[in-house]
Amino acid sequence: HWRPYWNPGLAREKRLQVVSFLTKHRVQALLAEYGPIGCLFMGACKDAGVPLFVHFHGYDASKLLRSRRHVRNYRELFRAAAGVIAPSRFLADKLAAIGCPFEKLHVVPCGIDPSRFQPSSREPGRILAVGRLVEKKAPHLTIEAFAQIANRYPTARLEIIGDGPLRERCEALIDKFDLRPRVVLHGVQPSDRVGAEMRRASIFVQHSITAPDGDMEGLPVAILEAMASELPIVSTCHSGIPEAVEHGVTGYLVPEGDVNGMAEAMATLLTDPARAAAMGAAGRARVLKYFSLEHACDRLR
């Protein structure tokens, strides 16, 4: 119980096994996904003389920073690592604030393959949300925002792909506002289905917030996929989202928890399809320039 508190690394036998593996295969560098995994391997990398790079993603650079144990371990990790990677400048700044040297920090957003996403046919009134039904993605707030404009746009629909612990809460809201069948929870779907839904939608929405336990997004891949599909984005000023979505250019951003603002942003795009189309086109151009998989891999290498 106490060993991980004082020593976040591998136990001696496993550490020796890792060192043996790294030496035998003449490994030139090790990339650890998530901060705690970097802590686990930093001792073995030091023993093997292998540079360690650590790729943070979201909860490990937000929620875990509330733990003094993790912050202490991270500071040791920052000294040992050759490089630290974050998906957004926002999260990179949070790591810098607890002691990561700026010269070791690199911002590399998780890129997508734009060729997998074609411009949407923009079915009028079709709004799409994709993501786990968890606190930091706040699907219940998206439903509440849609409920505010449902009577003004009787043909509008909200399609939600994803599942999670907030499903029951979302179902209750759908019944409370009498939104069946205009709000549909599709559950978990394969990537091909997600792409197909994006090719039909006219707006993409995601109300990301900081969860009560401190968990935050990095830069949601679903938003980048929607931009690649030429969908205007309605989201929040949360974590790395403003680094991808330009407010008033590729979509609209509202403060976290601003249900009224989100509702009006959706209403604006439903009322003005030409503006929505222009924002969608600007979003795809931005993804091609800054957030493609090729661009991300080049940065990572």
Side-chain angles (χ1 to χ4, degrees), residues 4-16:
Y5 187 87
W6 297 109
N7 176 16
L10 296 165
R12 183 175 184 276
E13 182 180 352
K14 291 186 177 182
R15 179 166 169 167
L16 292 174

PDB file of all heavy atoms in Angstrom, residues 4-16:
ATOM      1  N   PRO A   4       3.941   2.500  -3.512  1.00  0.00           N
ATOM      2  CA  PRO A   4       3.701   3.469  -4.600  1.00  0.00           C
ATOM      3  C   PRO A   4       3.721   4.918  -4.123  1.00  0.00           C
ATOM      4  O   PRO A   4       3.988   5.831  -4.903  1.00  0.00           O
ATOM      5  CB  PRO A   4       2.312   3.081  -5.130  1.00  0.00           C
ATOM      6  CG  PRO A   4       2.124   1.660  -4.705  1.00  0.00           C
ATOM      7  CD  PRO A   4       2.821   1.556  -3.384  1.00  0.00           C
ATOM      8  N   TYR A   5       3.423   5.124  -2.824  1.00  0.00           N
ATOM      9  CA  TYR A   5       3.422   6.488  -2.318  1.00  0.00           C
ATOM     10  C   TYR A   5       4.834   7.056  -2.300  1.00  0.00           C
ATOM     11  O   TYR A   5       5.071   8.199  -2.687  1.00  0.00           O
ATOM     12  CB  TYR A   5       2.831   6.513  -0.903  1.00  0.00           C
ATOM     13  CG  TYR A   5       2.645   7.918  -0.365  1.00  0.00           C
ATOM     14  CD1 TYR A   5       1.477   8.618  -0.624  1.00  0.00           C
ATOM     15  CD2 TYR A   5       3.642   8.542   0.366  1.00  0.00           C
ATOM     16  CE1 TYR A   5       1.290   9.904  -0.150  1.00  0.00           C
ATOM     17  CE2 TYR A   5       3.477   9.832   0.851  1.00  0.00           C
ATOM     18  CZ  TYR A   5       2.304  10.507   0.587  1.00  0.00           C
ATOM     19  OH  TYR A   5       2.136  11.783   1.041  1.00  0.00           O
ATOM     20  N   TRP A   6       5.797   6.229  -1.857  1.00  0.00           N
ATOM     21  CA  TRP A   6       7.168   6.710  -1.741  1.00  0.00           C
ATOM     22  C   TRP A   6       7.986   6.430  -2.996  1.00  0.00           C
ATOM     23  O   TRP A   6       8.958   7.116  -3.274  1.00  0.00           O
ATOM     24  CB  TRP A   6       7.841   6.079  -0.524  1.00  0.00           C
ATOM     25  CG  TRP A   6       7.165   6.471   0.740  1.00  0.00           C
ATOM     26  CD1 TRP A   6       6.401   5.682   1.556  1.00  0.00           C
ATOM     27  CD2 TRP A   6       7.134   7.777   1.331  1.00  0.00           C
ATOM     28  NE1 TRP A   6       5.905   6.407   2.604  1.00  0.00           N
ATOM     29  CE2 TRP A   6       6.335   7.699   2.503  1.00  0.00           C
ATOM     30  CE3 TRP A   6       7.701   9.009   0.988  1.00  0.00           C
ATOM     31  CZ2 TRP A   6       6.103   8.790   3.326  1.00  0.00           C
ATOM     32  CZ3 TRP A   6       7.468  10.098   1.821  1.00  0.00           C
ATOM     33  CH2 TRP A   6       6.674   9.995   2.965  1.00  0.00           C
ATOM     34  N   ASN A   7       7.612   5.388  -3.751  1.00  0.00           N
ATOM     35  CA  ASN A   7       8.371   5.036  -4.953  1.00  0.00           C
ATOM     36  C   ASN A   7       7.397   4.659  -6.062  1.00  0.00           C
ATOM     37  O   ASN A   7       6.854   3.550  -6.066  1.00  0.00           O
ATOM     38  CB  ASN A   7       9.318   3.869  -4.663  1.00  0.00           C
ATOM     39  CG  ASN A   7      10.045   3.406  -5.917  1.00  0.00           C
ATOM     40  OD1 ASN A   7      10.085   4.115  -6.919  1.00  0.00           O
ATOM     41  ND2 ASN A   7      10.613   2.216  -5.856  1.00  0.00           N
ATOM     42  N   PRO A   8       7.156   5.562  -7.008  1.00  0.00           N
ATOM     43  CA  PRO A   8       6.163   5.284  -8.050  1.00  0.00           C
ATOM     44  C   PRO A   8       6.682   4.361  -9.140  1.00  0.00           C
ATOM     45  O   PRO A   8       5.963   4.016 -10.067  1.00  0.00           O
ATOM     46  CB  PRO A   8       5.891   6.679  -8.627  1.00  0.00           C
ATOM     47  CG  PRO A   8       7.198   7.396  -8.461  1.00  0.00           C
ATOM     48  CD  PRO A   8       7.770   6.901  -7.158  1.00  0.00           C
ATOM     49  N   GLY A   9       7.955   3.951  -9.072  1.00  0.00           N
ATOM     50  CA  GLY A   9       8.548   3.138 -10.126  1.00  0.00           C
ATOM     51  C   GLY A   9       8.207   1.664 -10.007  1.00  0.00           C
ATOM     52  O   GLY A   9       7.483   1.220  -9.120  1.00  0.00           O
ATOM     53  N   LEU A  10       8.774   0.889 -10.926  1.00  0.00           N
ATOM     54  CA  LEU A  10       8.562  -0.547 -10.948  1.00  0.00           C
ATOM     55  C   LEU A  10       9.259  -1.220  -9.764  1.00  0.00           C
ATOM     56  O   LEU A  10      10.280  -0.740  -9.271  1.00  0.00           O
ATOM     57  CB  LEU A  10       9.130  -1.128 -12.248  1.00  0.00           C
ATOM     58  CG  LEU A  10       8.461  -0.679 -13.551  1.00  0.00           C
ATOM     59  CD1 LEU A  10       9.356  -1.026 -14.738  1.00  0.00           C
ATOM     60  CD2 LEU A  10       7.099  -1.333 -13.704  1.00  0.00           C
ATOM     61  N   ALA A  11       8.702  -2.354  -9.326  1.00  0.00           N
ATOM     62  CA  ALA A  11       9.380  -3.170  -8.325  1.00  0.00           C
ATOM     63  C   ALA A  11      10.691  -3.688  -8.916  1.00  0.00           C
ATOM     64  O   ALA A  11      10.862  -3.754 -10.144  1.00  0.00           O
ATOM     65  CB  ALA A  11       8.483  -4.333  -7.900  1.00  0.00           C
ATOM     66  N   ARG A  12      11.639  -4.048  -8.053  1.00  0.00           N
ATOM     67  CA  ARG A  12      13.005  -4.343  -8.484  1.00  0.00           C
ATOM     68  C   ARG A  12      13.063  -5.390  -9.591  1.00  0.00           C
ATOM     69  O   ARG A  12      13.752  -5.195 -10.613  1.00  0.00           O
ATOM     70  CB  ARG A  12      13.833  -4.810  -7.288  1.00  0.00           C
ATOM     71  CG  ARG A  12      15.306  -5.069  -7.629  1.00  0.00           C
ATOM     72  CD  ARG A  12      16.108  -5.408  -6.384  1.00  0.00           C
ATOM     73  NE  ARG A  12      17.515  -5.564  -6.717  1.00  0.00           N
ATOM     74  CZ  ARG A  12      18.035  -6.681  -7.183  1.00  0.00           C
ATOM     75  NH1 ARG A  12      17.257  -7.748  -7.368  1.00  0.00           N
ATOM     76  NH2 ARG A  12      19.332  -6.755  -7.463  1.00  0.00           N
ATOM     77  N   GLU A  13      12.345  -6.508  -9.445  1.00  0.00           N
ATOM     78  CA  GLU A  13      12.422  -7.582 -10.447  1.00  0.00           C
ATOM     79  C   GLU A  13      11.922  -7.107 -11.811  1.00  0.00           C
ATOM     80  O   GLU A  13      12.548  -7.353 -12.839  1.00  0.00           O
ATOM     81  CB  GLU A  13      11.608  -8.793  -9.978  1.00  0.00           C
ATOM     82  CG  GLU A  13      11.670  -9.977 -10.946  1.00  0.00           C
ATOM     83  CD  GLU A  13      10.853 -11.167 -10.467  1.00  0.00           C
ATOM     84  OE1 GLU A  13      10.373 -11.129  -9.315  1.00  0.00           O
ATOM     85  OE2 GLU A  13      10.682 -12.108 -11.255  1.00  0.00           O
ATOM     86  N   LYS A  14      10.802  -6.396 -11.818  1.00  0.00           N
ATOM     87  CA  LYS A  14      10.256  -5.912 -13.092  1.00  0.00           C
ATOM     88  C   LYS A  14      11.148  -4.830 -13.693  1.00  0.00           C
ATOM     89  O   LYS A  14      11.293  -4.735 -14.910  1.00  0.00           O
ATOM     90  CB  LYS A  14       8.828  -5.392 -12.884  1.00  0.00           C
ATOM     91  CG  LYS A  14       7.830  -6.508 -12.580  1.00  0.00           C
ATOM     92  CD  LYS A  14       6.419  -5.985 -12.515  1.00  0.00           C
ATOM     93  CE  LYS A  14       5.433  -7.111 -12.275  1.00  0.00           C
ATOM     94  NZ  LYS A  14       4.036  -6.637 -12.242  1.00  0.00           N
ATOM     95  N   ARG A  15      11.724  -4.013 -12.824  1.00  0.00           N
ATOM     96  CA  ARG A  15      12.635  -2.974 -13.317  1.00  0.00           C
ATOM     97  C   ARG A  15      13.819  -3.598 -14.039  1.00  0.00           C
ATOM     98  O   ARG A  15      14.204  -3.139 -15.122  1.00  0.00           O
ATOM     99  CB  ARG A  15      13.096  -2.111 -12.142  1.00  0.00           C
ATOM    100  CG  ARG A  15      14.074  -0.999 -12.499  1.00  0.00           C
ATOM    101  CD  ARG A  15      14.180  -0.034 -11.337  1.00  0.00           C
ATOM    102  NE  ARG A  15      15.265   0.925 -11.473  1.00  0.00           N
ATOM    103  CZ  ARG A  15      15.403   2.006 -10.723  1.00  0.00           C
ATOM    104  NH1 ARG A  15      14.502   2.271  -9.784  1.00  0.00           N
ATOM    105  NH2 ARG A  15      16.417   2.834 -10.891  1.00  0.00           N
ATOM    106  N   LEU A  16      14.376  -4.662 -13.476  1.00  0.00           N
ATOM    107  CA  LEU A  16      15.487  -5.355 -14.120  1.00  0.00           C
ATOM    108  C   LEU A  16      15.061  -5.973 -15.452  1.00  0.00           C
ATOM    109  O   LEU A  16      15.819  -5.969 -16.425  1.00  0.00           O
ATOM    110  CB  LEU A  16      16.043  -6.435 -13.189  1.00  0.00           C
ATOM    111  CG  LEU A  16      16.753  -5.930 -11.918  1.00  0.00           C
ATOM    112  CD1 LEU A  16      17.119  -7.098 -11.018  1.00  0.00           C
ATOM    113  CD2 LEU A  16      17.990  -5.123 -12.290  1.00  0.00           C
TER     114      LEU A  16
END
